[in-house]
Amino acid sequence: MAEEDASHKARDGLRKSVVGKFKEVTGALTRNDSLTTEGRLEQEEARKLKEADTSARMAEAEAKQATEHLEAVHDAGRQEREAAQRRADATETRAQQEAEMRTQQAERERQEHVAREQARAARDAAIDEQRARVRENAEAADVAADVNAAHAEHGAAVSDAERARLEAEQERRRAEALEKSLEEHDR
């Protein structure tokens, strides 16, 4: 429709230009200055209309080009925003993955620390138990030595007591024998 309108304007402008030229020539031939002037004015009007139409078409073309450029800029901006969003999403995903990896690493390190502490505690407990056994064995050896010493002392005491009893028995027999002998002597 715009082409038909432009075509109609071009034909109308050409017609006015031809009519104006005709009037100018007719006025010049007939020595009618007003017709000549009118013809020139119509030609000037046709020229101005043609210039205006050309300017309008150029403005429309520039507007269309500007609109296309604006759309291209909008598209480029949209694409850049989408790309930025994708980059932001990827960065966020990487950050989440890294945070998860750090959390897992921290948990592994905590578990390893707990395992080391448990192993150290078990080692310390085994050492303490071994030391306790050594002390217990030393105490048992001391007690056994004390018991052996007590047995030996008891044995010595029993031997001493037996010897003393035997000596006492000998002394008693001697005393009896002496007493018998004194009695016999006294009799």
Side-chain angles (χ1 to χ4, degrees), residues 150-168:
H151 277 310
E153 196 175 301
H154 175 67
V158 166
S159 293
D160 287 347
E162 185 60 29
R163 205 179 10 230
R165 187 187 66 74
L166 288 173
E167 285 176 3

Side-chain angles (χ1 to χ4, degrees), residues 19-28 30-42:
V19 168
K21 189 67 169 171
F22 177 75
K23 284 182 181 180
E24 180 185 359
V25 170
T26 303
T30 60
R31 294 186 188 241
N32 184 347
D33 290 337
S34 69
L35 189 59
T36 302
T37 303
E38 187 180 333
R40 285 185 186 154
L41 288 174
E42 282 185 19

